[in-house]
Amino acid sequence: MQLYNTLSAEERAIMIDDAGKQRLTLSFYAYAQLQNPIQFRNELFLAWNPLDVLGRIYVANEGINAQLSLPADNFYAFKDKIEKYGFMKGIRLNIAVAHDDHSFLKLTIKVRDKIVADGLVDETFDVTNIGIHLKAKEFNELLEDPNTIVVDMRNHYESEIGHFTSAIKPDVDTFRESLPIIEEQLSEHKQDKNLLMYCTGGIRCEKASAYFKHKGFENVYQLEGGIIEYTRQVKAEGLESKFIGKNFVFDHRLGERITDDIVSQCHQCGAPCDVHTNCANEGCHLLFIQCESCKSKMEGCCSDECVSTIHLPEDEQKAVRRGIKNGNKIFKKGKSNVLTFKNNTESHGVFIAEEAKKVVKKEPKINKTYIGKAIHFYAKATIGQFLIEENEINIGDKILIKGTTTGNQEMILDEIFVNEIASTKAIPGDNFTLKLPFRIRLSDKLYKIKD
């Protein structure tokens, strides 16, 4: 009986590409009383593995918290599987704003003490006495009320790249840190203000709203379905998005573009940037924001020390990593002392509350023509393959490869292959291949830049 992964991430990526099926990225949560979370965990693995479900799922006595991807063809079969459990009947599945077939490459289901680490003793208050849920239109309206205080319940590295324009953003590393801090800082407004909260998918607000009501806050509201559902409703109803920038996500993509606003800066040079990356040094993997210029200069690393490390022979790198505990570096996301600009300008107050108009910068508009889409994933950054869908492309053309994770990559074509044969141009219907210094994703698009 297989209850764990048997394939590596690289092997799984190849299988996904060979299958050629579009995958959906989604998330959901449900609070419930589970008597045997280990048995529940094993049942889920046995039911989901045949459906090619991949993701990171936490189960506990209090319920389930899941972020995952699966072939679009298996969506309804998956929905049937989870709705066999009464507490997940009719559950809302938050579909991602943008999809990447490689958002997850393993199915990991872990049994935890809690589905979200909140540091609370649930027995001391009524966890079911939650705040009022608001849909996008209602949320926007309450934002305009001068008696409203809106609080971002996410961590600093999440809110840094995107947030609601008037939000208070606690400068914290973990959810559990934010609860007592917010309660203390807003203690004088428990009766006279509306406490309006939001998070990525809604799960953190469920517990936080009950906690704050227990602490005496009288007017507590929360964004139903979080930023993910808010964005869907904004698009469906033609509303103005009061959320600007990117929504941080906990998968391979690290972010979903919500608006074109760039509200953060490169942690190394200060240039406008909202692209998170993990340090290329396997012994570090610090999460930080890095622009394309610094990425090239620093070879994807966070420090000169890490640059030196990645140039060592592989056996020496392994020897250096042996015994190193890098958990603290990963935990302190974006706060390492090696990040020069971040350290020189960071606010160390409890709240970071810049005026949006001071920090929002627009990406320069690129005059471009759509050419095609990525059709193959390579585990190593060596080549990229695209299907030409519109127009033609020639040697000497300036192109743009654009994607949520890839960002904007510009280059001049000096060598191309069409249907695996060297050529000078590619036309609609051709498979177009070129050498690249970076790895593409299947969600990437190809454009020709106009002069």
Side-chain angles (χ1 to χ4, degrees), residues 29 31 65 67 115-118 120 130 151-159 172-176 178-179 182 197-212 222-223 225-228 247-250:
Y29 68 89
Y31 282 101
N65 180 18
Q67 297 88 38
I115 54 177
V116 175
D118 52 37
L120 300 175
I130 60 176
V151 180
D152 193 320
M153 296 307 302
R154 302 171 302 157
N155 303 324
H156 74 89
Y157 55 89
E158 298 172 79
S159 60
V172 296
D173 294 315
T174 64
F175 174 55
R176 69 171 65 197
S178 67
L179 295 172
I182 294 170
M197 297 178 295
Y198 69 91
C199 57
T200 306
I203 187 171
R204 282 176 273 192
C205 291
E206 289 288 295
K207 188 65 70 71
S209 66
Y211 171 79
F212 289 128
Q222 62 194 89
L223 180 58
I227 299 163
I228 298 173
N247 178 30
F248 186 94
V249 293
F250 292 87

Side-chain angles (χ1 to χ4, degrees), residues 11-190:
E11 290 171 325
R12 180 68 69 177
I14 293 172
M15 287 184 65
I16 289 174
D17 291 334
D18 289 343
K21 294 183 177 180
Q22 179 189 3
R23 297 181 68 88
L24 299 177
T25 300
L26 56 89
S27 61
F28 64 90
Y29 68 89
Y31 282 101
Q33 292 298 317
L34 301 179
Q35 300 303 315
N36 191 336
I38 295 177
Q39 178 182 333
F40 178 62
R41 178 263 175 213
N42 292 342
E43 289 175 3
L44 293 183
F45 194 97
L46 291 173
W48 294 359
N49 196 44
L51 296 177
D52 199 16
V53 174
L54 304 173
R56 186 183 302 110
I57 298 92
Y58 299 129
V59 298
N61 288 111
E62 65 175 1
I64 180 171
N65 180 18
Q67 297 88 38
L68 54 86
S69 78
L70 76 164
D73 293 347
N74 293 344
F75 176 78
Y76 290 104
F78 172 78
K79 197 168 183 291
D80 289 342
K81 293 288 187 183
I82 63 175
E83 291 196 345
K84 288 182 178 179
Y85 297 93
F87 70 93
M88 288 194 282
K89 191 74 174 176
I91 191 172
R92 181 183 58 248
L93 302 177
N94 288 323
I95 307 296
V97 175
H99 298 282
D100 185 328
D101 288 344
H102 298 88
S103 56
F104 293 101
L105 295 175
K106 290 184 178 181
L107 175 56
T108 303
I109 308 177
K110 294 185 177 181
V111 176
R112 293 283 183 86
D113 292 332
K114 290 196 172 188
I115 54 177
V116 175
D118 52 37
L120 300 175
V121 180
D122 292 354
E123 292 75 20
T124 61
F125 66 102
D126 184 0
V127 296
T128 67
N129 183 25
I130 60 176
I132 298 172
H133 285 86
L134 298 179
K135 296 188 182 299
K137 187 174 184 296
E138 299 167 322
F139 191 87
N140 280 359
E141 291 171 351
L142 198 57
L143 277 176
E144 301 302 319
D145 189 328
N147 289 318
T148 293
I149 298 175
V150 58
V151 180
D152 193 320
M153 296 307 302
R154 302 171 302 157
N155 303 324
H156 74 89
Y157 55 89
E158 298 172 79
S159 60
E160 186 172 19
I161 61 171
H163 49 258
F164 281 94
T165 52
S166 55
I168 288 173
K169 303 181 289 297
D171 185 20
V172 296
D173 294 315
T174 64
F175 174 55
R176 69 171 65 197
E177 290 177 68
S178 67
L179 295 172
I181 289 175
I182 294 170
E183 196 270 328
E184 179 183 355
Q185 294 294 315
L186 302 182
S187 60
E188 297 181 1
H189 301 292
K190 291 184 177 183

Side-chain angles (χ1 to χ4, degrees), residues 309-328:
T309 300
I310 66 172
H311 287 289
L312 295 173
E314 183 60 30
D315 58 340
E316 291 186 33
Q317 290 189 49
K318 290 181 179 179
V320 171
R321 295 197 297 267
R322 192 172 297 121
I324 291 180
K325 294 183 178 180
N326 62 4
N328 189 53

